[in-house]
Amino acid sequence: MPPQSSVPRSPSKRTLGLTLMATAWLGLLISLSGILFVLVTGRVASEALSRELGTLDRALLVTQEGLQVADGTLADTQVTIQSLSNTVNSASRTLVATDPTLTTLRDVTGTSLPKTLDSTNQALKAASESARLVDDVLGTLGFFGLRYEPEVPLSVAIKQVADSLVDLPTALDEVTEGLGTAQDNLRTIADDLEEVAEGLDLIALNLDEAMTVVADYETIVIQLRDEVAAIQVSAPFWFAIVQFGLVLLLVWLGLAQISLFVQGRQLLAEGQIEQIER
Protein backbone atom coordinates (compact mmCIF):
# COMPACT_ATOMS: atom_id res chain seq x y z
CA MET A 1 0.00 0.00 0.00
CA PRO A 2 2.68 2.64 0.85
CA PRO A 3 4.50 2.21 -2.45
CA GLN A 4 1.21 2.47 -4.37
CA SER A 5 0.21 5.73 -2.60
CA SER A 6 3.63 7.32 -3.21
CA VAL A 7 3.60 6.76 -6.97
CA PRO A 8 1.06 9.42 -7.88
CA ARG A 9 2.62 12.01 -5.48
CA SER A 10 6.02 12.14 -7.13
CA PRO A 11 4.81 13.61 -10.40
CA SER A 12 2.67 16.07 -8.42
CA LYS A 13 5.65 17.37 -6.46
CA ARG A 14 7.71 17.72 -9.60
CA THR A 15 4.89 19.48 -11.42
CA LEU A 16 4.20 21.74 -8.46
CA GLY A 17 7.90 22.47 -8.08
CA LEU A 18 8.29 23.36 -11.75
CA THR A 19 5.17 25.52 -11.57
CA LEU A 20 6.44 27.34 -8.50
CA MET A 21 9.84 27.89 -10.10
CA ALA A 22 8.30 29.20 -13.32
CA THR A 23 5.98 31.44 -11.35
CA ALA A 24 8.94 32.71 -9.31
CA TRP A 25 10.93 33.51 -12.45
CA LEU A 26 7.93 35.26 -13.96
CA GLY A 27 7.29 37.21 -10.76
CA LEU A 28 10.97 38.16 -10.51
CA LEU A 29 10.93 39.34 -14.13
CA ILE A 30 7.81 41.35 -13.46
CA SER A 31 9.39 42.88 -10.34
CA LEU A 32 12.55 43.86 -12.20
CA SER A 33 10.52 45.25 -15.10
CA GLY A 34 8.32 47.14 -12.63
CA ILE A 35 11.36 48.64 -10.91
CA LEU A 36 12.76 49.79 -14.24
CA PHE A 37 9.37 51.12 -15.30
CA VAL A 38 8.93 53.03 -12.03
CA LEU A 39 12.40 54.56 -12.27
CA VAL A 40 11.97 55.65 -15.90
CA THR A 41 8.36 56.75 -15.82
CA GLY A 42 8.79 58.39 -12.44
CA ARG A 43 11.47 60.67 -13.79
CA VAL A 44 9.43 61.39 -16.94
CA ALA A 45 6.30 62.08 -14.90
CA SER A 46 8.24 64.34 -12.53
CA GLU A 47 9.66 66.34 -15.43
CA ALA A 48 6.24 66.52 -17.10
CA LEU A 49 4.62 67.74 -13.88
CA SER A 50 7.40 70.30 -13.45
CA ARG A 51 6.79 71.59 -16.99
CA GLU A 52 3.05 71.75 -16.47
CA LEU A 53 3.47 73.58 -13.18
CA GLY A 54 5.88 76.00 -14.86
CA THR A 55 3.37 76.60 -17.66
CA LEU A 56 0.60 77.11 -15.11
CA ASP A 57 2.75 79.55 -13.15
CA ARG A 58 3.52 81.55 -16.31
CA ALA A 59 -0.17 81.60 -17.22
CA LEU A 60 -1.03 82.82 -13.73
CA LEU A 61 1.72 85.45 -13.99
CA VAL A 62 0.30 86.72 -17.29
CA THR A 63 -3.17 86.75 -15.71
CA GLN A 64 -1.85 88.66 -12.71
CA GLU A 65 -0.13 91.23 -14.94
CA GLY A 66 -3.32 91.59 -16.99
CA LEU A 67 -5.34 92.16 -13.82
CA GLN A 68 -2.80 94.75 -12.65
CA VAL A 69 -3.05 96.59 -15.97
CA ALA A 70 -6.85 96.39 -15.80
CA ASP A 71 -6.80 97.69 -12.22
CA GLY A 72 -4.57 100.62 -13.20
CA THR A 73 -6.73 101.41 -16.23
CA LEU A 74 -9.89 101.28 -14.14
CA ALA A 75 -8.30 103.57 -11.55
CA ASP A 76 -7.28 106.11 -14.22
CA THR A 77 -10.72 105.89 -15.81
CA GLN A 78 -12.39 106.41 -12.46
CA VAL A 79 -10.28 109.53 -11.81
CA THR A 80 -11.14 110.86 -15.27
CA ILE A 81 -14.85 110.12 -14.81
CA GLN A 82 -14.85 111.76 -11.38
CA SER A 83 -13.06 114.84 -12.73
CA LEU A 84 -15.53 115.03 -15.63
CA SER A 85 -18.43 114.67 -13.19
CA ASN A 86 -17.07 117.52 -11.07
CA THR A 87 -16.68 119.68 -14.17
CA VAL A 88 -20.22 118.94 -15.32
CA ASN A 89 -21.59 119.66 -11.85
CA SER A 90 -19.65 122.94 -11.75
CA ALA A 91 -21.01 123.92 -15.17
CA SER A 92 -24.54 123.01 -14.06
CA ARG A 93 -24.19 125.11 -10.91
CA THR A 94 -22.82 128.00 -12.98
CA LEU A 95 -25.80 127.83 -15.31
CA VAL A 96 -28.19 127.69 -12.37
CA ALA A 97 -26.43 130.70 -10.84
CA THR A 98 -26.74 132.54 -14.17
CA ASP A 99 -30.52 132.18 -14.18
CA PRO A 100 -31.20 135.03 -11.69
CA THR A 101 -28.87 137.29 -13.66
CA LEU A 102 -30.78 136.58 -16.86
CA THR A 103 -34.04 137.21 -15.02
CA THR A 104 -32.74 140.58 -13.90
CA LEU A 105 -31.62 141.41 -17.43
CA ARG A 106 -35.05 140.46 -18.77
CA ASP A 107 -36.69 142.74 -16.23
CA VAL A 108 -34.36 145.59 -17.17
CA THR A 109 -34.72 145.18 -20.95
CA GLY A 110 -38.40 144.35 -20.83
CA THR A 111 -39.72 146.77 -18.21
CA SER A 112 -37.32 149.23 -16.61
CA LEU A 113 -35.37 150.34 -19.66
CA PRO A 114 -38.43 150.79 -21.93
CA LYS A 115 -40.07 152.93 -19.25
CA THR A 116 -36.90 154.96 -18.94
CA LEU A 117 -36.68 155.37 -22.72
CA ASP A 118 -40.30 156.40 -22.90
CA SER A 119 -39.79 158.97 -20.17
CA THR A 120 -36.64 160.18 -21.89
CA ASN A 121 -38.46 160.42 -25.20
CA GLN A 122 -41.25 162.48 -23.66
CA ALA A 123 -38.69 164.72 -22.01
CA LEU A 124 -36.82 165.16 -25.28
CA LYS A 125 -40.02 166.06 -27.11
CA ALA A 126 -40.76 168.68 -24.48
CA ALA A 127 -37.18 169.90 -24.71
CA SER A 128 -37.52 170.04 -28.49
CA GLU A 129 -40.55 172.34 -28.17
CA SER A 130 -38.64 174.52 -25.74
CA ALA A 131 -35.58 174.48 -27.99
CA ARG A 132 -37.70 175.66 -30.91
CA LEU A 133 -38.68 178.73 -28.93
CA VAL A 134 -35.04 179.26 -28.07
CA ASP A 135 -34.12 178.97 -31.76
CA ASP A 136 -36.80 181.56 -32.64
CA VAL A 137 -35.66 183.93 -29.92
CA LEU A 138 -32.00 183.60 -30.85
CA GLY A 139 -32.89 184.16 -34.51
CA THR A 140 -34.62 187.44 -33.70
CA LEU A 141 -31.59 188.76 -31.84
CA GLY A 142 -29.52 189.11 -35.01
CA PHE A 143 -29.85 192.90 -35.06
CA PHE A 144 -28.00 192.99 -31.73
CA GLY A 145 -24.99 191.48 -33.48
CA LEU A 146 -25.63 187.91 -32.24
CA ARG A 147 -25.23 185.49 -35.08
CA TYR A 148 -27.06 182.21 -34.45
CA GLU A 149 -26.84 180.06 -37.59
CA PRO A 150 -26.18 176.43 -36.54
CA GLU A 151 -26.12 173.74 -39.20
CA VAL A 152 -28.83 171.93 -37.28
CA PRO A 153 -31.10 173.94 -35.03
CA LEU A 154 -31.19 172.90 -31.42
CA SER A 155 -34.83 171.90 -31.59
CA VAL A 156 -34.24 169.76 -34.67
CA ALA A 157 -31.22 168.06 -33.06
CA ILE A 158 -33.21 167.27 -29.93
CA LYS A 159 -36.10 165.97 -32.04
CA GLN A 160 -33.68 163.74 -33.99
CA VAL A 161 -32.40 162.32 -30.73
CA ALA A 162 -35.98 161.69 -29.61
CA ASP A 163 -36.82 160.04 -32.93
CA SER A 164 -33.78 157.78 -32.64
CA LEU A 165 -35.17 156.45 -29.39
CA VAL A 166 -38.48 155.41 -30.96
CA ASP A 167 -37.20 152.08 -32.32
CA LEU A 168 -35.31 151.13 -29.18
CA PRO A 169 -38.29 149.56 -27.32
CA THR A 170 -38.87 147.19 -30.23
CA ALA A 171 -35.19 146.24 -30.22
CA LEU A 172 -35.36 145.80 -26.46
CA ASP A 173 -38.38 143.50 -26.87
CA GLU A 174 -36.31 141.35 -29.20
CA VAL A 175 -33.46 141.36 -26.69
CA THR A 176 -35.87 140.39 -23.92
CA GLU A 177 -37.27 137.58 -26.02
CA GLY A 178 -33.74 136.39 -26.80
CA LEU A 179 -32.84 136.47 -23.12
CA GLY A 180 -35.96 134.45 -22.32
CA THR A 181 -35.05 131.86 -24.94
CA ALA A 182 -31.48 131.74 -23.65
CA GLN A 183 -32.77 131.37 -20.10
CA ASP A 184 -35.04 128.49 -21.08
CA ASN A 185 -32.20 126.85 -23.00
CA LEU A 186 -29.84 127.28 -20.07
CA ARG A 187 -32.36 125.66 -17.74
CA THR A 188 -32.70 122.75 -20.14
CA ILE A 189 -28.93 122.47 -20.44
CA ALA A 190 -28.56 122.64 -16.66
CA ASP A 191 -31.09 119.81 -16.25
CA ASP A 192 -29.32 117.76 -18.93
CA LEU A 193 -25.98 118.39 -17.26
CA GLU A 194 -27.39 117.20 -13.94
CA GLU A 195 -28.53 113.97 -15.61
CA VAL A 196 -25.09 113.60 -17.20
CA ALA A 197 -23.44 114.13 -13.81
CA GLU A 198 -25.69 111.49 -12.23
CA GLY A 199 -24.78 109.07 -15.03
CA LEU A 200 -21.09 109.78 -14.56
CA ASP A 201 -21.40 109.21 -10.80
CA LEU A 202 -23.10 105.86 -11.49
CA ILE A 203 -20.31 104.91 -13.89
CA ALA A 204 -17.73 105.84 -11.24
CA LEU A 205 -19.58 103.64 -8.72
CA ASN A 206 -19.61 100.73 -11.18
CA LEU A 207 -15.91 101.25 -11.82
CA ASP A 208 -15.27 101.14 -8.09
CA GLU A 209 -17.12 97.81 -7.84
CA ALA A 210 -15.20 96.52 -10.86
CA MET A 211 -11.92 97.54 -9.20
CA THR A 212 -12.93 95.62 -6.08
CA VAL A 213 -13.67 92.50 -8.14
CA VAL A 214 -10.36 92.83 -10.02
CA ALA A 215 -8.49 93.25 -6.73
CA ASP A 216 -10.18 90.12 -5.34
CA TYR A 217 -9.21 88.09 -8.41
CA GLU A 218 -5.69 89.47 -8.25
CA THR A 219 -5.46 88.23 -4.64
CA ILE A 220 -6.76 84.81 -5.72
CA VAL A 221 -4.18 84.61 -8.54
CA ILE A 222 -1.39 85.53 -6.14
CA GLN A 223 -2.53 82.80 -3.74
CA LEU A 224 -2.66 80.29 -6.61
CA ARG A 225 0.87 81.25 -7.66
CA ASP A 226 2.06 80.69 -4.09
CA GLU A 227 0.38 77.27 -4.03
CA VAL A 228 1.89 76.34 -7.41
CA ALA A 229 5.32 77.45 -6.19
CA ALA A 230 4.89 75.29 -3.07
CA ILE A 231 3.90 72.32 -5.23
CA GLN A 232 6.92 72.90 -7.47
CA VAL A 233 9.16 72.72 -4.42
CA SER A 234 7.48 69.70 -2.79
CA ALA A 235 6.58 67.69 -5.91
CA PRO A 236 10.09 66.20 -6.49
CA PHE A 237 10.26 65.08 -2.86
CA TRP A 238 6.87 63.38 -2.98
CA PHE A 239 7.69 61.80 -6.34
CA ALA A 240 10.89 60.43 -4.82
CA ILE A 241 8.91 59.08 -1.83
CA VAL A 242 6.39 57.39 -4.14
CA GLN A 243 9.16 56.00 -6.33
CA PHE A 244 11.02 54.69 -3.31
CA GLY A 245 7.85 53.09 -1.95
CA LEU A 246 7.03 51.41 -5.27
CA VAL A 247 10.59 50.22 -5.75
CA LEU A 248 10.64 48.89 -2.18
CA LEU A 249 7.34 47.08 -2.80
CA LEU A 250 8.65 45.57 -6.03
CA VAL A 251 11.92 44.54 -4.34
CA TRP A 252 9.90 42.86 -1.62
CA LEU A 253 7.85 41.08 -4.27
CA GLY A 254 11.08 40.05 -6.01
CA LEU A 255 12.51 38.64 -2.78
CA ALA A 256 9.26 36.79 -2.24
CA GLN A 257 9.71 35.22 -5.68
CA ILE A 258 13.15 34.00 -4.62
CA SER A 259 11.59 32.26 -1.64
CA LEU A 260 8.94 30.80 -3.94
CA PHE A 261 11.66 29.66 -6.35
CA VAL A 262 13.56 27.93 -3.53
CA GLN A 263 10.41 26.19 -2.34
CA GLY A 264 9.64 25.02 -5.88
CA ARG A 265 13.16 23.72 -6.31
CA GLN A 266 12.88 21.80 -3.06
CA LEU A 267 9.64 20.20 -4.23
CA LEU A 268 11.27 19.35 -7.56
CA ALA A 269 14.24 17.77 -5.76
CA GLU A 270 11.98 15.77 -3.46
CA GLY A 271 10.03 14.53 -6.44
CA GLN A 272 13.24 13.45 -8.22
CA ILE A 273 14.50 11.65 -5.09
CA GLU A 274 11.26 9.81 -4.67
CA GLN A 275 11.37 8.79 -8.33
CA ILE A 276 14.92 7.44 -7.95
CA GLU A 277 13.95 5.52 -4.80
CA ARG A 278 11.00 4.09 -6.58
Side-chain angles (χ1 to χ4, degrees), residues 122-140 148 150 152-162:
Q122 296 297 328
L124 288 174
K125 287 181 179 179
S128 176
E129 293 296 331
S130 300
R132 187 172 61 181
L133 294 175
V134 172
D135 289 335
D136 293 339
V137 172
L138 291 176
T140 59
Y148 178 69
V152 179
L154 180 60
S155 60
V156 175
I158 294 175
K159 188 175 183 303
Q160 289 176 350
V161 173

Side-chain angles (χ1 to χ4, degrees), residues 13-164:
K13 284 186 177 182
R14 292 181 60 192
T15 302
L16 182 59
L18 290 173
T19 302
L20 290 177
M21 291 175 64
T23 303
W25 278 110
L26 181 61
L28 186 60
L29 181 61
I30 292 174
S31 297
L32 293 175
S33 300
I35 292 172
L36 182 62
F37 177 78
V38 168
L39 293 176
V40 174
T41 58
R43 184 182 64 183
V44 173
S46 178
E47 293 175 353
L49 179 61
S50 179
R51 287 195 301 271
E52 292 298 327
L53 289 175
T55 302
L56 178 59
D57 183 69
R58 288 192 295 273
L60 290 173
L61 177 60
V62 172
T63 303
Q64 181 182 355
E65 293 175 349
L67 289 174
Q68 290 175 348
V69 172
D71 183 68
T73 302
L74 288 174
D76 293 340
T77 304
Q78 187 183 38
V79 172
T80 302
I81 292 295
Q82 194 63 50
S83 175
L84 181 59
S85 176
N86 294 335
T87 302
V88 172
N89 280 322
S90 177
S92 178
R93 288 192 296 269
T94 301
L95 292 177
V96 172
T98 305
D99 187 73
T101 303
L102 293 177
T103 301
T104 302
L105 288 176
R106 288 183 64 187
D107 291 338
V108 171
T109 58
T111 304
S112 301
L113 194 55
K115 289 182 179 180
T116 302
L117 290 174
D118 184 65
S119 300
T120 302
N121 193 16
Q122 296 297 328
L124 288 174
K125 287 181 179 179
S128 176
E129 293 296 331
S130 300
R132 187 172 61 181
L133 294 175
V134 172
D135 289 335
D136 293 339
V137 172
L138 291 176
T140 59
L141 296 176
F143 63 90
F144 289 108
L146 178 64
R147 296 180 60 84
Y148 178 69
E149 296 178 354
E151 293 182 0
V152 179
L154 180 60
S155 60
V156 175
I158 294 175
K159 188 175 183 303
Q160 289 176 350
V161 173
D163 292 339
S164 67

